[in-house]
Amino acid sequence: REGERRERGARGDMELRPLVVRTGTVKEAAGSAYLEMGRTKVLVSVHGPRPDPRAAHFSNTGRVECTVKVAAFGGASDVDEHERQMPPLLAAAIEAAVNLNRFPKSVVAVSVLVLEMDGDATSAAITCSSLALADACIEMFDLVGACAVVKKGEGQLVVDPEGDEMVGRPTAL
């Protein structure tokens, strides 16, 4: 396994990148969080709950609305693809943790800004969104944490891959 450590720098295949987390970073939001996973940087703000304009009839549960923007300077080559694919994954991951019964006919808006991308940003966005919801005092069943895993070789898995390890490989959360 020593060869794997040299190939990935100071990390082994089953080690996470350095993590930095801050909450309360956006004062105008009900809740917010900033997360760094290695060189991947994500900022999330939460607004609401507020009345849902799409709920014409009474609904017993609220909903979570997710938007994602990737900074043009953030290093992503396919910005539009990330902005299109990430919101449904993000919503599916965090909706299960939010007690939507507490917000009938309401929406909680989660806005993600990917400032820099070097590796899987979806897992960083999921974890950061969970922290921002908690910062907004949105009632949750639990916090959500996520991490990407890629298959590197025959039976060899890499946890929390960096950008070059993601090329041409599907990820699993």
Side-chain angles (χ1 to χ4, degrees), residues 13 31 40 53-54 56 120:
D13 287 344
T40 299
R54 289 183 17 189
D120 182 57

Side-chain angles (χ1 to χ4, degrees), residues 77-147:
S77 58
D78 49 355
V79 170
D80 292 336
E81 178 123 356
H82 287 290
E83 290 179 352
R84 185 178 46 76
Q85 289 182 351
M86 207 181 294
L89 295 171
L90 180 61
I94 62 175
E95 272 183 344
V98 176
N99 187 356
L100 295 173
N101 294 323
R102 296 297 235 173
F103 314 110
K105 210 173 180 181
S106 298
V107 63
V108 175
V110 177
S111 301
V112 176
L113 175 59
V114 180
L115 298 167
E116 189 172 347
M117 190 179 306
D118 181 45
D120 182 57
T122 304
S123 57
I126 290 169
T127 303
C128 193
S129 296
S130 179
L131 295 169
L133 287 163
D135 186 53
C137 297
I138 300 294
E139 187 173 324
M140 300 170 67
F141 299 112
D142 208 345
L143 293 174
V144 181
C147 184

Side-chain angles (χ1 to χ4, degrees), residues 22-70:
R22 291 186 196 99
T23 57
T25 53
V26 179
K27 299 301 176 203
E28 296 80 19
S32 60
Y34 171 81
L35 182 135
E36 291 181 16
M37 291 177 77
R39 292 185 306 259
T40 299
K41 297 172 178 67
V42 177
L43 179 67
V44 177
S45 60
V46 172
H47 300 277
R50 59 181 176 227
D52 188 356
R54 289 183 17 189
H57 302 288
F58 184 79
S59 173
N60 287 333
T61 62
R63 67 183 182 90
V64 175
E65 181 179 82
C66 299
T67 57
V68 175
K69 293 292 178 195
V70 178

